[in-house]
Amino acid sequence: MNLTQFSRRPTCEVRIGHTVIGSGHPVAVQSMTNTDTNDTQACVEQIKRIARAGGPIVRLTAQGCREGENLGNITAELRREGFDTALVADIHFLPEVAAVAARHVDKVRINPGNYRTDHGELDALIEQCRERGVALRIGVNHGSLGKRIFDELGDTPEGMVAAAMEFLRVCQKHDFDQVVVSMKSSNTRVMVIAYRLLIEAMDSEGMHYPIHLGVTEAGNGLEGRIKSAVGIGALMADGLGDTIRVSLTEAPENEIPVARLLVEHFASRPGVFEVKHPERYSPTVFRRRSTITTPVIHSEPHEGFRLLESTSENPTAELRAAILNLEQADEPVIVKRRYEDTDLETMAVKAAADLGPLFLDGLADGIWIDAPAFTPAQIREVELHILQSARVRFSHTEYIACPSCGRTLYDIEQTLADIKARTGHLKNLKIGIMGCIVNGPGEMADADYGYVGAAPNRITLYKGREVIERNIPQEEALDHLIELIKKNGDWTDPEA
């Protein structure tokens, strides 16, 4: 990682259908369908909407052999209609489905946590992918590590890296370089540290595979966009990322403009910024630089803080260098940046990507967004969401909500809106809203409460990792969730 200037990490070239990533190619954006993979026409129509929005890569779940086989029909219909969108099969639980899907798609995403330790299934899949020219994504998710690694290293960034490296070494043994790797989490700090540790591990073994970036279960609206921008932005500022997905609990095509904005925002990051004290920076171990425990927003009292304002086109590197060059190492600082944008979401994404990483790394103590097009209340909301997304100050209920896919067992977008309407006034709570059990219990591991699809229109409720009620009819589940929150003393009535 270069602290003084921006440079993209060199990677090998990987072809995903008609889209090529890595080796200096532009960062590609992507999304995922939330339609039933057995419904050919519904999938094709949604893929077309994603493609028209500017997404050249689309992922579909293939949870069983039937869905894996139907990817052939989806591909054929899409090509018949003149779309060359690269298609990716997402495999969970059943490794044998990867072999079925690989006959029809351009890339297969597998989760190491679902594979046996003898690697025989992976050996066979690699040879099949080589034969057809299919790329492979080693997709590690925080919360779904295999039992052996979980028992040894726990649900940690180190465990995630160990899982990825084990599979990458198999690919390297086979001299198979059409590989992409991801380390996704809904916890931005875990996600960023995991990717940085992965890069260290890959570099030490001469691996240069492209990186897919994403924050899982980011939620929706302004909150979801800011959370994604903080996590993805921190890594893009490091020069990482060859393809990205912004995971929103919204229509999949809504993800593409946000992802493209991030790509454009990091297309050029000029300037060289001398860093006098690199030893003060710890990219893979979070530690607070100063004694300030709760970072401030600019409208709050901030006597005793130094103000550092960015004026360059590389604000993250500029401000990081200024902080690391302070004569007093632990002097509290407020970081400031001006934005002339007139669209609130655009300004919020840019500010989150520029300033959020400084809080994720424990460097900054206050945030000041200078954006004349917006009201003080709007700016305050953005600033607070950036601090929360960086996990340094919690002021809202946090919703760990998956974007949904073909595995989702209920209308998660409407459900998230309903849960927000009933619980949005609560403070300092984390509520997980997950479509199914694939990532549900694991990805929401640090949530206080969980609402997880268990069967069609049936919900299981969690308190932390503990199942409290199973298979509740969905029409009753929200009331049960509220009662669970009240029973545990975490409820307050909305202010009149």
Side-chain angles (χ1 to χ4, degrees):
M1 177 179 176
N2 191 332
L3 292 180
T4 64
Q5 65 186 96
F6 174 82
S7 60
R8 282 187 66 188
R9 175 177 180 269
T11 64
C12 61
E13 183 177 282
V14 171
R15 180 171 294 279
I16 309 167
H18 288 275
T19 299
V20 182
I21 65 170
S23 189
H25 290 278
V27 177
V29 303
Q30 58 179 275
S31 184
M32 184 174 185
T33 61
N34 59 18
T35 43
D36 182 351
T37 308
N38 291 310
D39 187 336
T40 301
Q41 201 55 45
C43 290
V44 168
E45 291 305 314
Q46 194 168 73
I47 293 166
K48 287 159 58 177
R49 291 195 294 273
I50 295 169
R52 288 176 178 133
I57 304 171
V58 178
R59 186 157 44 109
L60 305 91
T61 185
Q63 65 266 49
C65 289
R66 183 183 173 201
E67 289 81 4
E69 287 288 3
N70 201 52
L71 291 170
N73 296 324
I74 293 169
T75 301
E77 179 61 19
L78 198 66
R79 302 295 180 250
R80 188 186 69 78
E81 296 195 32
F83 286 79
D84 62 3
T85 307
L87 299 185
V88 182
D90 189 71
I91 311 297
H92 273 286
F93 293 141
L94 300 175
E96 60 269 25
V97 179
V100 176
R103 298 200 297 262
H104 307 297
V105 295
D106 304 298
K107 183 170 78 171
V108 174
R109 181 266 172 154
I110 60 172
N111 183 342
N114 300 149
Y115 277 72
R116 297 197 304 262
T117 58
D118 62 12
H119 298 141
E121 293 163 323
L122 180 58
D123 292 335
L125 179 61
I126 288 171
E127 291 310 312
Q128 183 183 4
C129 288
R130 191 199 308 276
E131 184 178 338
R132 272 204 70 235
V134 175
L136 185 66
R137 168 144 72 101
I138 308 300
V140 180
N141 273 19
H142 181 228
S144 59
L145 298 177
K147 184 178 185 304
R148 175 175 53 86
I149 286 180
F150 180 86
D151 289 345
E152 180 183 350
L153 296 169
D155 199 7
T156 62
E158 290 79 8
M160 295 170 69
V161 172
M165 290 300 294
E166 184 175 306
F167 272 49
L168 291 175
R169 290 184 190 111
V170 177
C171 295
Q172 192 175 54
K173 178 188 73 174
H174 286 275
D175 196 26
F176 182 69
D177 65 358
Q178 295 301 287
V179 179
V180 183
V181 61
S182 64
M183 311 287 285
K184 299 174 79 173
S185 173
S186 64
N187 181 319
T188 52
R189 188 180 298 164
V190 168
M191 169 223 177
V192 168
I193 289 176
Y195 274 107
R196 288 173 174 169
L197 287 172
L198 173 72
I199 297 305
E200 288 183 359
M202 292 198 338
D203 285 351
S204 70
E205 298 189 28
M207 298 178 181
H208 304 285
Y209 303 115
I211 301 295
H212 169 81
L213 299 180
V215 178
T216 61
E217 288 83 43
N220 66 355
L222 196 65
E223 175 186 0
R225 286 159 174 78
I226 288 174
K227 187 174 183 180
S228 290
V230 167
I232 294 172
L235 294 163
M236 293 190 79
D238 289 353
L240 305 180
D242 301 281
T243 173
I244 66 172
R245 181 196 176 189
V246 173
S247 298
L248 299 175
T249 311
E250 300 179 17
E253 58 267 30
N254 291 358
E255 300 177 348
I256 299 301
V258 190
R260 293 183 67 179
L261 173 59
L262 284 169
V263 170
E264 292 164 6
H265 194 52
F266 284 94
S268 177
R269 293 253 140 173
V272 178
F273 307 93
E274 180 187 3
V275 176
K276 297 177 182 177
H277 297 287
E279 73 280 359
R280 296 177 181 173
Y281 183 61
S282 55
T284 58
V285 178
F286 178 79
R287 64 179 186 228
R288 293 286 298 120
R289 184 189 55 83
S290 79
T291 58
I292 300 297
T293 56
T294 304
V296 300
I297 59 175
H298 85 275
S299 58
E300 296 172 337
H302 47 264
E303 292 81 9
F305 289 74
R306 177 187 289 238
L307 177 62
L308 299 176
E309 182 172 7
S310 167
T311 57
S312 80
E313 294 305 308
N314 191 351
T316 309
E318 179 190 12
L319 290 167
R320 182 176 56 207
I323 293 169
L324 295 175
N325 291 344
L326 290 171
E327 185 174 334
Q328 180 185 331
D330 62 351
E331 181 179 9
V333 300
I334 293 175
V335 289
K336 181 179 181 181
R337 175 75 171 174
R338 184 177 178 90
Y339 296 92
E340 303 291 352
D341 303 279
T342 57
D343 176 75
L344 182 63
E345 288 185 358
T346 299
M347 181 275 288
V349 167
K350 289 181 179 179
D354 292 338
L355 305 179
L358 301 167
F359 295 92
L360 265 180
D361 287 340
L363 295 175
D365 307 287
I367 184 170
W368 186 329
I369 295 173
D370 179 10
F374 308 104
T375 67
Q378 289 173 314
I379 293 172
R380 174 185 172 86
E381 181 184 16
V382 172
E383 289 174 340
L384 286 172
H385 275 308
I386 290 174
L387 296 181
Q388 179 151 321
S389 295
R391 309 191 74 79
V392 292
R393 175 174 171 176
F394 290 88
S395 54
H396 306 78
T397 301
E398 180 177 355
Y399 299 95
I400 303 169
C402 76
S404 84
C405 68
R407 297 183 296 261
T408 302
L409 300 167
Y410 60 94
D411 184 346
I412 195 166
E413 189 172 348
Q414 183 58 52
T415 299
L416 175 58
D418 294 341
I419 292 175
K420 277 190 168 184
R422 296 280 297 277
T423 64
H425 66 286
L426 301 175
K427 307 295 182 186
N428 301 322
L429 274 188
K430 302 184 186 73
I431 300 176
I433 302 105
M434 312 299 291
C436 70
I437 63 168
V438 167
N439 293 324
E443 289 290 357
M444 63 175 202
D446 65 345
D448 301 294
Y449 299 93
Y451 182 109
V452 180
N457 298 309
R458 293 277 172 166
I459 304 299
T460 293
L461 296 182
Y462 287 73
K463 175 72 174 73
R465 290 178 177 266
E466 180 186 358
V467 173
I468 303 299
E469 289 187 85
R470 296 183 186 274
N471 296 316
I472 309 164
Q474 192 192 356
E475 59 271 20
E476 302 172 13
L478 179 49
D479 287 336
H480 284 234
L481 174 63
I482 302 301
E483 287 305 310
L484 177 61
I485 295 172
K486 290 179 177 179
K487 181 180 177 181
N488 284 274
D490 291 325
W491 181 267
T492 57
D493 289 327
E495 294 181 5

